[in-house]
Amino acid sequence: MKKLSILSRLFVCAGLAFAGFTAQADEVKGNSAAGNGKVWLCVGCHSIPDYRADYPLTYRVPMLGGQNAAYIASALAAYKKGERKHPTMRFIAASLSDQDMADIGEYYAAQTASSPNNQLK
């Protein structure tokens, strides 16, 4: 009888964890049109082909057009939490809300590497 009780508790906990995960995933939906107004700071580095930032180390700055929206939002969140260490990105991400990150992700997901707003002419 005790095994059934423990198993039942595990199922309840798993169900609650899954419900919490899906509720959190549904809370923030990115909007590429809204993201268009939020990438003004991003294009200064991420729109220059083969750009390398040199503080504190030399980093190859990636082009973001066509990247997965969830990946971009996740990377920005990791910079904000300090899990990713680039100081400039950490500073920028610290000012972004979850909605901002989702919007920026959707904006870049809708672009390609050669999109006009993703690459300087």
Side-chain angles (χ1 to χ4, degrees):
M1 188 72 166
K2 245 185 180 177
K3 286 184 181 180
L4 182 60
S5 177
I6 292 171
L7 190 58
S8 297
R9 289 180 188 171
L10 284 174
F11 281 124
V12 169
C13 289
L16 290 173
F18 181 74
F21 173 76
T22 57
Q24 183 178 14
D26 290 340
E27 287 178 17
V28 180
K29 296 281 187 196
N31 179 300
S32 63
N36 185 41
K38 298 175 182 180
V39 297
W40 62 272
L41 194 54
C42 307
V43 298
C45 295
H46 290 282
S47 64
I48 304 169
D50 298 318
Y51 181 66
R52 292 184 184 346
D54 61 3
Y55 178 80
L57 303 171
T58 301
Y59 292 92
R60 183 181 171 280
V61 178
M63 300 293 285
L64 298 178
Q67 183 60 268
N68 180 282
Y71 175 79
I72 290 175
S74 174
L76 288 168
Y79 281 116
K80 185 174 186 171
K81 293 176 190 171
E83 295 168 358
R84 287 189 173 199
K85 302 295 181 190
H86 192 276
T88 303
M89 285 301 303
R90 189 167 185 196
F91 176 78
I92 292 167
S95 70
L96 300 174
S97 68
D98 290 347
Q99 185 64 57
D100 293 336
M101 292 182 222
D103 292 342
I104 290 169
E106 288 298 329
Y107 172 81
Y108 277 113
Q111 305 301 308
T112 66
S114 61
S115 294
N117 290 340
N118 191 46
Q119 186 169 335
L120 297 175
K121 293 182 179 182

